[in-house]
Amino acid sequence: MTVEQILGLVTGLLFGFLLQKGRVLRFEKQLGAMLLKDMTILKFMLSSILVGMVGILWLSDAGILKLGHKPMNVGAVVVGGALFGAGWAIMGFCPGTSVGAVGEGRWHALFAVAGMIAGAAVYAELYPFFKATVLSWKDYGKIGLPEALGVSPWVIVPFFWAAVLGLFFWFEKRNL
Amino acid sequence: MDWRRKDGGWSPYLAGALLGLLAIASAVATTKVLGKTSYLGASTTFVRAAGLLERTVAPENVAANEYFASQKIKVDWQFMLVAGILLGALISSKTDKSFKAEGVPPVWEERFGPSVGKRAAGAFLGGIVAMVGARMADGCPSGHGLSGMMQLSVSAFVALALFFGVGIVVAHIVYGRRAS
């Protein structure tokens, strides 16, 4: 194995360990969030975003790492995001959690993995068509919210934290 | 608040916060070791897996495909990350005894019955639609949801809103009606 592959494997091992410990790999948890009954996966995701955001933005300011925004291509993100949401609800897993679910014994997730590999091949076949249509509508490029709003990221972070902490209190109060 | 749950699981706030630290450490490690910052993600790996599999039956088709060419079909950092997720979940669930062989999830069974075939079809077809969407949007709940949000990417806010917005609507349509 190359250094690159070993680094990926070790990082993934820890990632999978935390996903499993947070109990977010399960079909019931994913559906629970979409049925607005159990917000475990949102608590998990938003907690990691709150912590990760501060470190990533600070290290980027310090020049230690580079941000890598994904392009805000309107058709791609809106149509793709909607398709993903629909498929996610039926499948009950997202790409990362599907393989983790297989790891904790939920072998029906293998069908989801197989479907997603097939879906990737379908996308590759249809790519020329998407490129000429959905992907060509309007692309704002690789932009961050701070540039879009013309403010420092450190103005946005406190608002984001406050909003998410408020949401957490609400989840706990409502026992979600 | 209890950080440890009765079943050996951890509070999602704690596990999530630790994942945030891992995301930071991983971004730094990839920058230092690989020379380019890589963020946690998963869906590109499915393209590479598809390319590797398709290559065994139709290599010309893969070589000629513009999208496969742009994604570089190889076992890279993220591919091993996704493989690691499986191993990490296996180790965690085996050591705290939450590992459970399951062919049909209870929530699915309540609505569609105990048939493994139906569940397989749902997971497979849902998987196709979801992955076409994830590749179009250039990310999934890991790439957009975690990594994009941490960087305050505009695309992440829009993608995550649509993932959940449409997910909520479709989940209510599909699972809202309970089979008795």
Side-chain angles (χ1 to χ4, degrees):
Chain A
M1 259 198 279
T2 62
V3 174
E4 177 186 339
Q5 290 170 335
I6 293 169
L7 184 63
L9 185 67
V10 173
T11 311
L13 223 143
L14 295 167
F15 191 179
F17 188 89
L18 291 172
L19 286 166
Q20 208 281 331
K21 280 283 177 269
R23 301 294 193 246
V24 293
L25 295 172
R26 295 177 191 168
F27 180 91
E28 311 71 288
K29 296 290 181 186
Q30 311 242 340
L31 255 302
M34 287 181 258
L35 292 172
L36 306 174
K37 286 179 182 156
D38 177 347
M39 291 300 167
T40 305
I41 67 167
L42 270 175
K43 294 174 190 173
F44 180 89
M45 283 181 83
L46 289 168
S47 299
S48 79
I49 293 166
L50 288 186
V51 172
M53 171 181 281
V54 175
I56 299 279
L57 294 173
W58 180 66
L59 290 165
S60 152
D61 272 4
I64 292 170
L65 52 78
K66 265 203 157 79
L67 296 186
H69 297 301
K70 292 174 184 293
M72 184 54 226
N73 181 322
V74 179
V77 176
V78 172
V79 179
L83 283 173
F84 181 85
W88 185 21
I90 296 164
M91 170 169 54
F93 296 109
C94 61
T97 51
S98 67
V99 288
V102 174
E104 64 168 3
R106 277 66 178 176
W107 54 267
H108 56 90
L110 280 171
F111 300 115
V113 173
M116 286 189 284
I117 293 175
V122 168
Y123 185 76
E125 288 308 314
L126 297 178
Y127 184 64
F129 167 74
F130 290 139
K131 208 174 146 188
T133 52
V134 187
L135 303 181
S136 67
W137 293 345
K138 175 92 187 123
D139 192 352
Y140 289 96
K142 301 178 176 184
I143 47 163
L145 199 57
E147 300 100 86
L149 299 177
V151 295
S152 153
W154 302 108
V155 173
I156 299 172
V157 171
F159 283 104
F160 191 87
W161 266 75
V164 170
L165 290 180
L167 199 60
F168 285 169
F169 277 107
W170 188 73
F171 287 163
E172 293 306 319
K173 219 176 116 187
R174 298 283 304 267
N175 235 340
L176 285 168
Chain B
M1 187 183 297
D2 267 344
W3 293 114
R4 275 198 88 143
R5 300 290 155 93
K6 281 191 208 99
D7 68 348
W10 298 352
S11 151
Y13 298 116
L14 173 67
L18 290 172
L19 176 61
L21 294 178
L22 177 68
I24 300 168
S26 168
V28 174
T30 53
T31 309
K32 299 282 180 206
V33 178
L34 310 178
K36 186 181 175 293
T37 312
S38 295
Y39 291 94
L40 301 179
S43 64
T44 317
T45 294
F46 288 80
V47 178
R48 302 204 169 106
L52 290 170
L53 286 172
E54 201 177 317
R55 205 183 253 168
T56 61
V57 286
E60 338 63 52
N61 198 29
V62 176
N65 185 286
E66 186 187 354
Y67 189 66
F68 280 136
S70 73
Q71 301 295 311
K72 298 183 191 72
I73 304 307
K74 58 174 183 185
V75 177
D76 70 333
W77 175 82
Q78 196 201 79
F79 200 104
M80 294 308 290
L81 179 96
V82 172
I85 291 176
L86 194 151
L87 279 178
L90 177 67
I91 293 168
S92 170
S93 63
K94 279 289 184 189
T95 48
D96 72 11
K97 300 190 170 62
S98 58
F99 183 94
K100 191 178 120 204
E102 177 187 276
V104 180
V107 179
W108 175 279
E109 193 173 337
E110 271 177 44
R111 175 69 183 84
F112 294 105
S115 155
V116 174
K118 265 193 197 171
R119 171 61 192 144
F124 190 81
L125 295 175
I128 293 178
V129 175
M131 188 50 66
V132 168
R135 289 330 302 153
M136 192 183 284
D138 199 16
C140 60
S142 296
H144 271 307
L146 298 175
S147 302
M149 291 296 286
M150 286 177 194
Q151 302 175 60
L152 293 173
S153 304
V154 173
S155 55
F157 282 88
V158 179
L160 202 57
L162 279 146
F163 292 169
F164 272 103
V166 175
I168 286 167
V169 172
V170 175
H172 278 86
I173 295 170
V174 175
Y175 301 95
R177 220 156 31 91
R178 288 295 161 98
S180 50

